[in-house]
Short mmCIF file of all heavy atoms in Angstrom, two decimals:
data_model
loop_
_atom_site.label_atom_id
_atom_site.label_comp_id
_atom_site.label_asym_id
_atom_site.label_seq_id
_atom_site.Cartn_x
_atom_site.Cartn_y
_atom_site.Cartn_z
N TYR A 1 107.14 105.20 88.01
CA TYR A 1 107.57 104.53 89.24
C TYR A 1 108.11 105.60 90.18
O TYR A 1 108.93 106.40 89.80
CB TYR A 1 108.64 103.50 88.87
CG TYR A 1 109.51 103.06 90.08
CD1 TYR A 1 108.93 102.24 91.07
CD2 TYR A 1 110.77 103.48 90.26
CE1 TYR A 1 109.66 101.83 92.14
CE2 TYR A 1 111.52 103.15 91.35
CZ TYR A 1 110.94 102.29 92.31
OH TYR A 1 111.67 101.90 93.36
N THR A 2 107.66 105.56 91.44
CA THR A 2 108.20 106.39 92.49
C THR A 2 108.72 105.54 93.60
O THR A 2 108.28 104.41 93.72
CB THR A 2 107.16 107.41 92.97
OG1 THR A 2 106.16 106.68 93.64
CG2 THR A 2 106.60 108.25 91.88
N HIS A 3 109.55 106.11 94.38
CA HIS A 3 110.13 105.33 95.50
C HIS A 3 109.07 105.06 96.60
O HIS A 3 109.29 104.15 97.42
CB HIS A 3 111.29 106.05 96.14
CG HIS A 3 112.46 106.17 95.21
ND1 HIS A 3 113.19 105.10 94.88
CD2 HIS A 3 112.93 107.20 94.51
CE1 HIS A 3 114.16 105.46 94.02
NE2 HIS A 3 113.98 106.74 93.78
N SER A 4 107.99 105.73 96.57
CA SER A 4 107.00 105.48 97.65
C SER A 4 105.98 104.39 97.28
O SER A 4 105.27 103.89 98.15
CB SER A 4 106.21 106.79 97.91
OG SER A 4 105.52 107.20 96.72
N GLU A 5 105.94 104.00 96.07
CA GLU A 5 105.06 102.90 95.65
C GLU A 5 105.84 101.79 94.92
O GLU A 5 106.76 102.05 94.19
CB GLU A 5 103.92 103.37 94.82
CG GLU A 5 104.30 104.07 93.52
CD GLU A 5 103.13 104.69 92.82
OE1 GLU A 5 102.53 105.63 93.40
OE2 GLU A 5 102.84 104.27 91.70
N PRO A 6 105.45 100.53 95.17
CA PRO A 6 106.22 99.43 94.59
C PRO A 6 106.10 99.43 93.06
O PRO A 6 105.08 99.77 92.49
CB PRO A 6 105.55 98.20 95.13
CG PRO A 6 104.66 98.67 96.26
CD PRO A 6 104.37 100.10 96.01
N ALA A 7 107.15 99.02 92.41
CA ALA A 7 107.14 98.86 90.95
C ALA A 7 106.16 97.70 90.66
O ALA A 7 106.13 96.72 91.37
CB ALA A 7 108.54 98.53 90.45
N MET A 8 105.42 97.85 89.55
CA MET A 8 104.54 96.82 89.16
C MET A 8 105.27 95.80 88.31
O MET A 8 105.79 96.12 87.22
CB MET A 8 103.33 97.39 88.33
CG MET A 8 102.51 98.36 89.16
SD MET A 8 101.73 97.62 90.66
CE MET A 8 100.64 96.47 89.89
N ILE A 9 105.47 94.60 88.84
CA ILE A 9 106.17 93.59 88.07
C ILE A 9 105.28 92.38 87.95
O ILE A 9 104.44 92.13 88.78
CB ILE A 9 107.53 93.23 88.72
CG1 ILE A 9 107.36 92.58 90.08
CG2 ILE A 9 108.41 94.47 88.77
CD1 ILE A 9 108.68 92.05 90.67
N THR A 10 105.53 91.59 86.88
CA THR A 10 104.73 90.39 86.64
C THR A 10 105.21 89.27 87.55
O THR A 10 106.34 89.36 88.13
CB THR A 10 104.88 89.96 85.18
OG1 THR A 10 106.26 89.59 84.95
CG2 THR A 10 104.52 91.09 84.19
N SER A 11 104.46 88.27 87.62
CA SER A 11 104.83 87.11 88.50
C SER A 11 106.10 86.45 87.93
O SER A 11 106.99 86.06 88.70
CB SER A 11 103.70 86.09 88.59
OG SER A 11 103.30 85.66 87.28
N ARG A 12 106.28 86.42 86.60
CA ARG A 12 107.51 85.86 86.03
C ARG A 12 108.68 86.76 86.35
O ARG A 12 109.75 86.25 86.66
CB ARG A 12 107.31 85.73 84.50
CG ARG A 12 108.48 85.07 83.87
CD ARG A 12 108.82 83.66 84.37
NE ARG A 12 108.14 82.70 83.56
CZ ARG A 12 108.12 81.32 83.82
NH1 ARG A 12 108.75 80.89 84.85
NH2 ARG A 12 107.52 80.56 83.05
N GLU A 13 108.49 88.09 86.22
CA GLU A 13 109.57 88.97 86.59
C GLU A 13 109.99 88.82 88.04
O GLU A 13 111.16 88.83 88.38
CB GLU A 13 109.20 90.43 86.31
CG GLU A 13 109.14 90.79 84.83
CD GLU A 13 108.55 92.11 84.58
OE1 GLU A 13 107.81 92.70 85.46
OE2 GLU A 13 108.72 92.62 83.45
N ARG A 14 108.99 88.61 88.86
CA ARG A 14 109.33 88.35 90.30
C ARG A 14 110.13 87.07 90.50
O ARG A 14 111.05 87.05 91.31
CB ARG A 14 108.00 88.29 91.09
CG ARG A 14 108.20 88.23 92.62
CD ARG A 14 106.84 88.18 93.31
NE ARG A 14 107.07 87.94 94.73
CZ ARG A 14 106.74 88.80 95.67
NH1 ARG A 14 106.22 89.95 95.37
NH2 ARG A 14 107.00 88.50 96.92
N GLU A 15 109.77 86.03 89.75
CA GLU A 15 110.57 84.77 89.84
C GLU A 15 112.00 85.03 89.39
O GLU A 15 112.93 84.54 90.04
CB GLU A 15 109.95 83.70 88.92
CG GLU A 15 108.60 83.14 89.46
CD GLU A 15 107.99 82.13 88.49
OE1 GLU A 15 107.83 82.48 87.31
OE2 GLU A 15 107.69 81.07 88.94
N VAL A 16 112.14 85.71 88.28
CA VAL A 16 113.51 85.98 87.76
C VAL A 16 114.26 86.81 88.76
O VAL A 16 115.44 86.58 89.07
CB VAL A 16 113.42 86.72 86.42
CG1 VAL A 16 114.81 87.27 85.94
CG2 VAL A 16 112.85 85.80 85.31
N LEU A 17 113.61 87.78 89.36
CA LEU A 17 114.22 88.66 90.40
C LEU A 17 114.74 87.84 91.56
O LEU A 17 115.84 88.05 92.00
CB LEU A 17 113.23 89.73 90.84
CG LEU A 17 113.68 90.76 91.86
CD1 LEU A 17 114.89 91.51 91.40
CD2 LEU A 17 112.55 91.71 92.20
N LYS A 18 113.94 86.92 92.03
CA LYS A 18 114.34 86.07 93.17
C LYS A 18 115.59 85.23 92.84
O LYS A 18 116.49 85.10 93.63
CB LYS A 18 113.20 85.13 93.61
CG LYS A 18 112.12 85.89 94.36
CD LYS A 18 111.05 84.99 94.86
CE LYS A 18 109.99 85.76 95.68
NZ LYS A 18 108.98 84.86 96.23
N PHE A 19 115.59 84.73 91.59
CA PHE A 19 116.80 83.88 91.18
C PHE A 19 118.03 84.79 91.02
O PHE A 19 119.12 84.39 91.34
CB PHE A 19 116.49 83.10 89.91
CG PHE A 19 115.62 81.93 90.13
CD1 PHE A 19 114.44 81.73 89.49
CD2 PHE A 19 116.05 80.91 91.00
CE1 PHE A 19 113.66 80.59 89.64
CE2 PHE A 19 115.27 79.77 91.22
CZ PHE A 19 114.10 79.62 90.54
N LEU A 20 117.84 86.02 90.47
CA LEU A 20 118.96 86.94 90.39
C LEU A 20 119.53 87.26 91.76
O LEU A 20 120.71 87.31 91.98
CB LEU A 20 118.51 88.25 89.72
CG LEU A 20 118.24 88.18 88.20
CD1 LEU A 20 117.60 89.51 87.74
CD2 LEU A 20 119.55 87.95 87.46
N ALA A 21 118.60 87.42 92.74
CA ALA A 21 119.04 87.74 94.11
C ALA A 21 119.83 86.63 94.72
O ALA A 21 120.65 86.77 95.60
CB ALA A 21 117.84 88.06 94.96
N LYS A 22 119.55 85.34 94.26
CA LYS A 22 120.31 84.19 94.77
C LYS A 22 121.58 84.01 94.02
O LYS A 22 122.35 83.09 94.37
CB LYS A 22 119.43 82.94 94.59
CG LYS A 22 118.22 82.86 95.50
CD LYS A 22 117.42 81.60 95.26
CE LYS A 22 116.20 81.59 96.19
NZ LYS A 22 115.38 80.38 95.95
N GLY A 23 121.85 84.84 93.01
CA GLY A 23 123.08 84.79 92.30
C GLY A 23 123.14 83.84 91.10
O GLY A 23 124.24 83.53 90.60
N LEU A 24 121.96 83.37 90.65
CA LEU A 24 121.94 82.47 89.53
C LEU A 24 122.26 83.25 88.24
O LEU A 24 121.93 84.43 88.08
CB LEU A 24 120.61 81.78 89.35
CG LEU A 24 120.39 80.48 90.14
CD1 LEU A 24 120.43 80.71 91.64
CD2 LEU A 24 119.12 79.81 89.76
N SER A 25 122.94 82.56 87.25
CA SER A 25 123.22 83.10 85.98
C SER A 25 121.93 83.13 85.11
O SER A 25 120.95 82.43 85.41
CB SER A 25 124.32 82.34 85.31
OG SER A 25 123.79 81.06 84.89
N THR A 26 122.04 83.85 83.99
CA THR A 26 120.91 83.89 83.03
C THR A 26 120.60 82.40 82.60
O THR A 26 119.41 82.01 82.55
CB THR A 26 121.27 84.73 81.78
OG1 THR A 26 121.47 86.07 82.28
CG2 THR A 26 120.23 84.64 80.76
N LYS A 27 121.61 81.63 82.27
CA LYS A 27 121.39 80.24 81.80
C LYS A 27 120.74 79.44 82.89
O LYS A 27 119.83 78.64 82.65
CB LYS A 27 122.72 79.70 81.36
CG LYS A 27 122.60 78.36 80.71
CD LYS A 27 123.94 77.83 80.18
CE LYS A 27 123.77 76.47 79.55
NZ LYS A 27 125.03 75.93 79.06
N GLU A 28 121.25 79.59 84.13
CA GLU A 28 120.68 78.80 85.27
C GLU A 28 119.22 79.18 85.51
O GLU A 28 118.38 78.26 85.73
CB GLU A 28 121.52 79.04 86.53
CG GLU A 28 122.89 78.43 86.44
CD GLU A 28 123.80 78.88 87.61
OE1 GLU A 28 123.64 80.05 88.11
OE2 GLU A 28 124.65 78.14 88.03
N ILE A 29 118.90 80.48 85.44
CA ILE A 29 117.51 80.91 85.60
C ILE A 29 116.63 80.31 84.50
O ILE A 29 115.56 79.81 84.76
CB ILE A 29 117.41 82.45 85.61
CG1 ILE A 29 118.15 82.99 86.87
CG2 ILE A 29 115.91 82.90 85.65
CD1 ILE A 29 118.34 84.51 86.90
N GLY A 30 117.12 80.36 83.32
CA GLY A 30 116.35 79.79 82.17
C GLY A 30 116.08 78.32 82.41
O GLY A 30 114.97 77.84 82.13
N THR A 31 117.04 77.59 82.87
CA THR A 31 116.86 76.15 83.18
C THR A 31 115.85 75.95 84.27
O THR A 31 114.98 75.08 84.16
CB THR A 31 118.21 75.52 83.57
OG1 THR A 31 119.19 75.69 82.51
CG2 THR A 31 118.06 74.05 83.89
N GLU A 32 116.00 76.73 85.35
CA GLU A 32 115.05 76.60 86.48
C GLU A 32 113.54 76.88 86.04
O GLU A 32 112.69 76.20 86.49
CB GLU A 32 115.39 77.60 87.60
CG GLU A 32 116.57 77.17 88.38
CD GLU A 32 116.34 75.99 89.29
OE1 GLU A 32 115.26 75.89 89.85
OE2 GLU A 32 117.33 75.19 89.48
N LEU A 33 113.37 77.87 85.22
CA LEU A 33 112.08 78.30 84.80
C LEU A 33 111.57 77.67 83.45
O LEU A 33 110.51 77.98 83.00
CB LEU A 33 111.99 79.85 84.72
CG LEU A 33 112.27 80.56 86.06
CD1 LEU A 33 112.25 82.03 85.77
CD2 LEU A 33 111.26 80.19 87.11
N THR A 34 112.46 76.86 82.88
CA THR A 34 112.20 76.28 81.54
C THR A 34 111.84 77.31 80.49
O THR A 34 110.79 77.22 79.83
CB THR A 34 111.19 75.12 81.59
OG1 THR A 34 109.95 75.57 82.08
CG2 THR A 34 111.70 73.96 82.44
N ILE A 35 112.63 78.38 80.42
CA ILE A 35 112.49 79.41 79.45
C ILE A 35 113.90 79.70 78.85
O ILE A 35 114.91 79.30 79.42
CB ILE A 35 111.91 80.74 80.00
CG1 ILE A 35 112.78 81.31 81.14
CG2 ILE A 35 110.46 80.53 80.47
CD1 ILE A 35 112.27 82.65 81.73
N SER A 36 113.95 80.32 77.69
CA SER A 36 115.22 80.55 77.05
C SER A 36 116.03 81.63 77.77
O SER A 36 115.47 82.50 78.47
CB SER A 36 115.00 80.98 75.56
OG SER A 36 114.52 82.28 75.54
N SER A 37 117.33 81.60 77.56
CA SER A 37 118.21 82.64 78.09
C SER A 37 117.80 84.03 77.58
O SER A 37 117.84 85.00 78.34
CB SER A 37 119.64 82.37 77.73
OG SER A 37 120.10 81.19 78.37
N HIS A 38 117.36 84.09 76.36
CA HIS A 38 116.92 85.35 75.72
C HIS A 38 115.75 85.91 76.52
O HIS A 38 115.67 87.12 76.79
CB HIS A 38 116.56 85.14 74.26
CG HIS A 38 116.07 86.37 73.60
ND1 HIS A 38 116.89 87.40 73.21
CD2 HIS A 38 114.79 86.78 73.28
CE1 HIS A 38 116.19 88.42 72.71
NE2 HIS A 38 114.90 88.02 72.70
N THR A 39 114.80 85.03 76.87
CA THR A 39 113.64 85.46 77.65
C THR A 39 114.03 85.98 79.03
O THR A 39 113.48 86.97 79.50
CB THR A 39 112.60 84.34 77.75
OG1 THR A 39 112.26 83.91 76.42
CG2 THR A 39 111.34 84.74 78.47
N VAL A 40 114.99 85.28 79.64
CA VAL A 40 115.48 85.73 80.99
C VAL A 40 116.09 87.10 80.82
O VAL A 40 115.80 88.01 81.64
CB VAL A 40 116.54 84.71 81.54
CG1 VAL A 40 117.13 85.25 82.83
CG2 VAL A 40 115.86 83.35 81.75
N GLU A 41 116.87 87.30 79.79
CA GLU A 41 117.47 88.61 79.58
C GLU A 41 116.44 89.72 79.37
O GLU A 41 116.61 90.80 79.91
CB GLU A 41 118.42 88.58 78.31
CG GLU A 41 119.75 87.98 78.58
CD GLU A 41 120.57 88.82 79.57
OE1 GLU A 41 120.70 90.04 79.39
OE2 GLU A 41 121.08 88.21 80.52
N SER A 42 115.39 89.38 78.66
CA SER A 42 114.27 90.37 78.50
C SER A 42 113.66 90.75 79.81
O SER A 42 113.40 91.93 80.10
CB SER A 42 113.19 89.75 77.55
OG SER A 42 113.75 89.61 76.26
N HIS A 43 113.39 89.73 80.68
CA HIS A 43 112.83 89.99 81.98
C HIS A 43 113.80 90.87 82.81
O HIS A 43 113.38 91.77 83.52
CB HIS A 43 112.51 88.68 82.73
CG HIS A 43 111.32 87.97 82.17
ND1 HIS A 43 110.10 88.55 81.90
CD2 HIS A 43 111.20 86.65 81.81
CE1 HIS A 43 109.28 87.64 81.41
NE2 HIS A 43 109.95 86.47 81.32
N ARG A 44 115.07 90.49 82.73
CA ARG A 44 116.09 91.26 83.50
C ARG A 44 116.11 92.72 83.08
O ARG A 44 116.12 93.63 83.93
CB ARG A 44 117.46 90.61 83.32
CG ARG A 44 118.54 91.24 84.20
CD ARG A 44 119.92 90.64 83.93
NE ARG A 44 120.42 90.86 82.56
CZ ARG A 44 120.91 92.06 82.20
NH1 ARG A 44 121.01 93.05 83.00
NH2 ARG A 44 121.30 92.19 80.92
N LYS A 45 116.11 92.97 81.77
CA LYS A 45 116.15 94.33 81.24
C LYS A 45 114.89 95.07 81.70
O LYS A 45 114.94 96.25 82.00
CB LYS A 45 116.27 94.30 79.71
CG LYS A 45 117.67 93.94 79.26
CD LYS A 45 117.75 93.80 77.78
CE LYS A 45 119.12 93.33 77.31
NZ LYS A 45 119.14 93.03 75.90
N ASN A 46 113.74 94.42 81.65
CA ASN A 46 112.48 95.05 82.07
C ASN A 46 112.52 95.42 83.55
O ASN A 46 112.11 96.49 83.95
CB ASN A 46 111.30 94.10 81.83
CG ASN A 46 110.95 93.96 80.35
OD1 ASN A 46 111.34 94.76 79.54
ND2 ASN A 46 110.27 92.89 80.04
N LEU A 47 113.09 94.53 84.35
CA LEU A 47 113.26 94.78 85.81
C LEU A 47 114.18 95.99 86.06
O LEU A 47 113.87 96.86 86.87
CB LEU A 47 113.79 93.56 86.54
CG LEU A 47 112.74 92.39 86.70
CD1 LEU A 47 113.51 91.11 87.04
CD2 LEU A 47 111.75 92.75 87.77
N LEU A 48 115.31 96.04 85.32
CA LEU A 48 116.21 97.16 85.48
C LEU A 48 115.48 98.49 85.17
O LEU A 48 115.66 99.47 85.85
CB LEU A 48 117.40 97.02 84.55
CG LEU A 48 118.41 95.89 84.94
CD1 LEU A 48 119.45 95.70 83.81
CD2 LEU A 48 119.10 96.20 86.27
N THR A 49 114.68 98.48 84.09
CA THR A 49 113.96 99.65 83.73
C THR A 49 112.92 100.02 84.79
O THR A 49 112.83 101.17 85.19
CB THR A 49 113.26 99.42 82.36
OG1 THR A 49 114.28 99.13 81.37
CG2 THR A 49 112.43 100.64 81.94
N LYS A 50 112.11 99.04 85.20
CA LYS A 50 111.04 99.29 86.13
C LYS A 50 111.57 99.82 87.50
O LYS A 50 110.91 100.62 88.15
CB LYS A 50 110.23 98.07 86.39
CG LYS A 50 109.35 97.75 85.14
CD LYS A 50 108.46 96.48 85.39
CE LYS A 50 107.61 96.18 84.18
NZ LYS A 50 106.73 95.08 84.41
N PHE A 51 112.73 99.32 87.92
CA PHE A 51 113.32 99.76 89.14
C PHE A 51 114.34 100.93 88.99
O PHE A 51 114.96 101.34 89.96
CB PHE A 51 113.99 98.58 89.91
CG PHE A 51 113.03 97.69 90.57
CD1 PHE A 51 112.50 96.59 89.90
CD2 PHE A 51 112.62 97.90 91.93
CE1 PHE A 51 111.60 95.75 90.54
CE2 PHE A 51 111.72 97.07 92.53
CZ PHE A 51 111.22 95.98 91.87
N ASP A 52 114.48 101.38 87.75
CA ASP A 52 115.42 102.48 87.47
C ASP A 52 116.77 102.12 88.00
O ASP A 52 117.41 102.97 88.72
CB ASP A 52 114.90 103.80 88.00
CG ASP A 52 115.70 104.99 87.47
OD1 ASP A 52 116.26 104.89 86.36
OD2 ASP A 52 115.80 105.98 88.21
N ALA A 53 117.25 100.93 87.71
CA ALA A 53 118.56 100.46 88.21
C ALA A 53 119.59 100.34 87.09
O ALA A 53 119.23 99.95 85.99
CB ALA A 53 118.39 99.09 88.87
N LYS A 54 120.82 100.66 87.38
CA LYS A 54 121.93 100.62 86.32
C LYS A 54 122.43 99.23 86.15
O LYS A 54 122.97 98.93 85.10
CB LYS A 54 123.01 101.55 86.78
CG LYS A 54 122.68 103.02 86.84
CD LYS A 54 123.84 103.86 87.31
CE LYS A 54 123.46 105.21 87.74
NZ LYS A 54 122.77 105.24 89.03
N ASN A 55 122.32 98.38 87.17
CA ASN A 55 122.83 97.01 87.09
C ASN A 55 122.07 96.13 88.07
O ASN A 55 121.22 96.60 88.84
CB ASN A 55 124.33 96.98 87.41
CG ASN A 55 124.64 97.71 88.71
OD1 ASN A 55 124.01 97.39 89.72
ND2 ASN A 55 125.64 98.59 88.70
N VAL A 56 122.39 94.87 88.02
CA VAL A 56 121.63 93.91 88.87
C VAL A 56 121.88 94.17 90.34
O VAL A 56 120.94 94.01 91.12
CB VAL A 56 122.03 92.40 88.49
CG1 VAL A 56 121.44 91.44 89.43
CG2 VAL A 56 121.52 92.14 87.06
N ALA A 57 123.05 94.58 90.72
CA ALA A 57 123.29 94.86 92.12
C ALA A 57 122.37 95.96 92.66
O ALA A 57 121.80 95.81 93.75
CB ALA A 57 124.80 95.25 92.35
N GLU A 58 122.25 97.01 91.85
CA GLU A 58 121.36 98.11 92.28
C GLU A 58 119.92 97.67 92.24
O GLU A 58 119.12 98.03 93.08
CB GLU A 58 121.53 99.30 91.32
CG GLU A 58 120.78 100.55 91.75
CD GLU A 58 121.01 101.75 90.86
OE1 GLU A 58 121.59 101.62 89.78
OE2 GLU A 58 120.52 102.82 91.23
N LEU A 59 119.59 96.83 91.27
CA LEU A 59 118.21 96.26 91.19
C LEU A 59 117.87 95.48 92.43
O LEU A 59 116.81 95.73 93.07
CB LEU A 59 118.13 95.32 89.98
CG LEU A 59 116.89 94.44 89.87
CD1 LEU A 59 115.61 95.31 89.69
CD2 LEU A 59 117.05 93.42 88.72
N ILE A 60 118.78 94.62 92.87
CA ILE A 60 118.53 93.82 94.08
C ILE A 60 118.37 94.72 95.30
O ILE A 60 117.53 94.49 96.15
CB ILE A 60 119.66 92.72 94.28
CG1 ILE A 60 119.74 91.81 93.10
CG2 ILE A 60 119.43 91.99 95.57
CD1 ILE A 60 118.46 91.12 92.70
N MET A 61 119.23 95.71 95.38
CA MET A 61 119.24 96.62 96.56
C MET A 61 117.88 97.36 96.58
O MET A 61 117.20 97.37 97.60
CB MET A 61 120.33 97.69 96.45
CG MET A 61 120.40 98.63 97.65
SD MET A 61 121.55 99.93 97.36
CE MET A 61 120.71 100.91 96.10
N LYS A 62 117.45 97.92 95.44
CA LYS A 62 116.17 98.64 95.43
C LYS A 62 115.01 97.69 95.70
O LYS A 62 114.08 98.04 96.40
CB LYS A 62 115.99 99.35 94.06
CG LYS A 62 116.93 100.52 93.89
CD LYS A 62 116.67 101.24 92.58
CE LYS A 62 117.44 102.55 92.51
NZ LYS A 62 117.06 103.35 91.34
N ALA A 63 115.01 96.53 95.08
CA ALA A 63 113.93 95.59 95.24
C ALA A 63 113.82 95.12 96.67
O ALA A 63 112.76 94.99 97.23
CB ALA A 63 114.05 94.41 94.29
N SER A 64 114.96 94.89 97.34
CA SER A 64 114.98 94.38 98.71
C SER A 64 114.36 95.45 99.65
O SER A 64 113.73 95.11 100.66
CB SER A 64 116.35 93.95 99.12
OG SER A 64 117.23 95.05 99.17
N LYS A 65 114.64 96.72 99.35
CA LYS A 65 114.04 97.78 100.15
C LYS A 65 112.57 97.82 100.04
O LYS A 65 111.87 98.38 100.88
CB LYS A 65 114.71 99.13 99.76
CG LYS A 65 116.13 99.30 100.22
CD LYS A 65 116.67 100.63 99.83
CE LYS A 65 118.07 100.81 100.30
NZ LYS A 65 118.65 102.09 99.94
N MET A 66 112.04 97.27 98.97
CA MET A 66 110.56 97.27 98.74
C MET A 66 109.96 95.95 99.15
O MET A 66 108.84 95.66 98.78
CB MET A 66 110.31 97.58 97.27
CG MET A 66 110.81 98.99 96.87
SD MET A 66 110.78 99.24 95.09
CE MET A 66 109.00 99.38 94.89
N PHE A 67 110.76 95.13 99.84
CA PHE A 67 110.27 93.84 100.42
C PHE A 67 109.83 92.83 99.33
O PHE A 67 108.91 92.07 99.56
CB PHE A 67 109.11 94.09 101.41
CG PHE A 67 109.46 95.13 102.44
CD1 PHE A 67 108.86 96.37 102.40
CD2 PHE A 67 110.38 94.86 103.39
CE1 PHE A 67 109.17 97.34 103.33
CE2 PHE A 67 110.76 95.84 104.34
CZ PHE A 67 110.13 97.06 104.32
N TRP A 68 110.50 92.81 98.20
CA TRP A 68 110.15 91.80 97.17
C TRP A 68 110.60 90.40 97.57
O TRP A 68 110.29 89.42 96.90
CB TRP A 68 110.72 92.20 95.85
CG TRP A 68 110.01 93.32 95.19
CD1 TRP A 68 110.46 94.58 95.02
CD2 TRP A 68 108.66 93.29 94.65
NE1 TRP A 68 109.50 95.33 94.37
CE2 TRP A 68 108.42 94.55 94.12
CE3 TRP A 68 107.71 92.28 94.51
CZ2 TRP A 68 107.21 94.85 93.53
CZ3 TRP A 68 106.51 92.60 93.86
CH2 TRP A 68 106.30 93.86 93.39
N PHE A 69 111.41 90.28 98.63
CA PHE A 69 112.00 89.00 98.95
C PHE A 69 111.36 88.37 100.22
O PHE A 69 112.02 87.61 100.90
CB PHE A 69 113.52 89.14 99.11
CG PHE A 69 114.15 89.72 97.90
CD1 PHE A 69 114.77 90.91 97.90
CD2 PHE A 69 114.09 89.00 96.69
CE1 PHE A 69 115.30 91.48 96.75
CE2 PHE A 69 114.62 89.52 95.55
CZ PHE A 69 115.25 90.77 95.57
N ASP A 70 110.17 88.75 100.55
CA ASP A 70 109.49 88.18 101.77
C ASP A 70 109.37 86.66 101.58
O ASP A 70 109.08 86.14 100.54
CB ASP A 70 108.13 88.75 101.87
CG ASP A 70 108.17 90.26 102.32
OD1 ASP A 70 109.31 90.72 102.58
OD2 ASP A 70 107.12 90.90 102.31
#
């Protein structure tokens, strides 16, 4: 991943990312997407890795700079 090209994320990761950006909890995201909290956590961890972010706040900042929230 480089800053000049968007991180490759799955459609499900993108959904999780949008809910994280709205401030939903892991449990709330799981309910919205009808998936387990464990699965939401896995997607969140994958997103942090793909965007090289230390936490969700940094993840949202980096993702928003790449226009993931159009």
Side-chain angles (χ1 to χ4, degrees):
Y1 163 73
T2 64
H3 293 289
S4 61
E5 57 187 66
M8 296 302 295
I9 64 172
T10 66
S11 57
R12 182 61 93 185
E13 287 170 342
R14 186 178 173 115
E15 289 176 308
V16 170
L17 181 57
K18 285 183 178 184
F19 283 123
L20 287 171
K22 290 180 182 179
L24 272 67
S25 70
T26 296
K27 187 175 179 181
E28 290 169 330
I29 295 169
T31 300
E32 285 289 325
L33 299 177
T34 60
I35 58 178
S36 73
S37 294
H38 178 76
T39 303
V40 174
E41 279 296 309
S42 294
H43 289 310
R44 185 183 64 78
K45 287 175 185 172
N46 290 340
L47 286 163
L48 289 171
T49 300
K50 289 181 179 185
F51 282 90
D52 191 30
K54 296 179 196 75
N55 53 48
V56 172
E58 186 178 10
L59 169 65
I60 300 306
M61 183 189 71
K62 288 183 172 189
S64 65
K65 287 181 179 179
M66 298 170 71
F67 311 108
W68 285 109
F69 305 114
D70 290 352

